[in-house]
Amino acid sequence: MHGMTSDASLSRLRKRALEADAATSPGAADEIDIAGCATIAYSSEMPAHPVEHLLDGRSGPGGTRWISARPDVIEQIIVEFDQPQAIARLVYEVEEAVRERTQEIRVEASEDRGRRYRQILVQEYTFSPGGATYQREEQRLNLLQASHLRLTIVPNKNGSGTATLSALRLFA
């Protein structure tokens, strides 16, 4: 987005109050305030589980989460930074307590305003209601000038399901 934008075109992410976050999760000193310095672009969200839930500080098993509105569809979430951003660490969480399925997450970064991306991470998680239902991933990165961070979520590498993420945190 370039130039002036109307109120109607602003992401809901930019309008949410942060007071509740401060009480639920004191951020680390090096944590990047994604809501304050980026726009989140997303391919789909369920109204009851919007993309804001990735950043609301309510993480861990049973926490809030983003869920795609479309089952068995590969979804994308793109963090579009206002200014190029150094990123040293990425933390995300996934929870699936209902279905047995394998979800893949690919993380790519762009340093040229989204023209070219390079892959920095591919992870697969197999969930089963009677066994593993929650995964927290922490990855060291060495991004000095990231303009965009793209997460591609493949919900159904094995089994059927809907793309979901519980939390996304970035650290400088």
Side-chain angles (χ1 to χ4, degrees), residues 44-99:
S44 170
E45 70 179 9
M46 198 177 277
H49 300 280
V51 76
E52 288 91 326
H53 284 180
L54 290 178
L55 308 178
D56 67 4
R58 295 177 182 89
S59 57
T64 58
R65 67 186 120 192
W66 160 79
I67 302 177
S68 160
R70 308 177 292 188
D72 294 322
V73 173
I74 295 171
E75 301 289 8
Q76 288 193 334
I77 293 174
I78 303 173
V79 181
E80 302 170 338
F81 294 104
D82 298 338
Q83 303 293 329
Q85 179 72 52
I87 305 173
R89 208 157 43 98
L90 160 79
V91 176
Y92 66 84
E93 299 176 21
V94 188
E95 185 175 22
E96 168 63 80
V98 180
R99 293 173 178 267

Side-chain angles (χ1 to χ4, degrees), residues 32 34 37-39 78-90 107-118 120 141-151 170-172:
I32 296 166
I34 297 172
C37 73
T39 298
I78 303 173
V79 181
E80 302 170 338
F81 294 104
D82 298 338
Q83 303 293 329
Q85 179 72 52
I87 305 173
R89 208 157 43 98
L90 160 79
V107 180
E108 300 160 293
S110 173
E111 297 184 326
D112 61 4
R113 307 305 308 157
R115 286 186 283 281
R116 288 187 315 270
Y117 283 88
R118 66 183 169 93
I120 52 178
L141 307 178
N142 186 24
L143 300 172
L144 303 177
Q145 293 280 305
S147 61
H148 293 66
L149 199 65
R150 179 168 64 195
L151 285 77
L170 302 173
F171 299 86

Side-chain angles (χ1 to χ4, degrees), residues 157-168:
K157 288 214 51 164
N158 184 28
S160 177
T162 303
T164 182
L165 284 177
S166 303
L168 175 64

Side-chain angles (χ1 to χ4, degrees), residues 40 68 84 104 116-117 119 126 148 169:
I40 303 287
S68 160
E104 178 184 274
R116 288 187 315 270
Y117 283 88
Q119 189 164 284
T126 299
H148 293 66
R169 298 172 73 192

